[in-house]
Amino acid sequence: MTTHPDHPFINPHLLAMFMWQGFMQARPWGDADADLYGEQIGAAVVLSDCVTELHQALNACLAEVAMPDFPGVMDYEVSEPFGTWCRQNFHCDPKDRRAQARRLVDEFFDQGQKAR
């Protein structure tokens, strides 16, 4: 993954950090989570795919417009809620994750369009 060439401040590593925070804050980590997620490292490995999906959705959106308004802070307004959603829908179909990632990205940029 690389940053978008026209938007170098979109950093997939920062997206990942906030996504992990949303994932872990969705509810306290308990013993039952170890079986469900394969310990925290197992959850982190699966969540790395989710970071890729969010980053791809973001790049696709940015490619559609010359320079969108950034109506807030992408990292915690999109990444963190996506991490929470991933925890609540951990074993969902990857196409559902991609659709959710795109929905969150679109909603984020729609805020900028409405403010014009």
Side-chain angles (χ1 to χ4, degrees), residues 36-113:
L36 182 61
Y37 301 110
E39 300 291 344
Q40 286 186 21
I41 192 67
V45 168
V46 172
L47 213 58
S48 68
D49 289 337
C50 298
V51 172
T52 300
E53 290 163 3
L54 180 59
H55 195 255
Q56 288 171 346
L58 178 58
N59 280 338
C61 182
L62 292 173
E64 293 169 5
V65 291
M67 183 57 173
D69 289 332
F70 278 77
V73 180
M74 170 69 65
D75 303 312
Y76 65 81
E77 290 186 44
V78 176
S79 299
E80 197 169 315
F82 187 56
T84 299
W85 184 91
C86 288
R87 177 119 187 231
Q88 295 164 344
N89 300 278
F90 193 72
H91 295 291
C92 73
D93 190 296
K95 70 178 180 182
D96 294 330
R97 284 196 308 258
R98 285 189 294 275
Q100 178 67 5
R102 185 57 194 247
R103 184 182 71 74
L104 288 169
V105 167
D106 288 346
E107 287 176 359
F108 176 79
F109 285 109
D110 283 349
Q111 294 176 85
Q113 297 300 322

Side-chain angles (χ1 to χ4, degrees), residues 1-3 10-20 51 55 75 79:
M1 285 185 292
T2 60
T3 58
I10 302 300
N11 183 323
H13 305 290
L14 198 55
L15 294 177
M17 183 192 77
F18 278 94
M19 188 181 300
W20 180 249
V51 172
H55 195 255
D75 303 312
S79 299

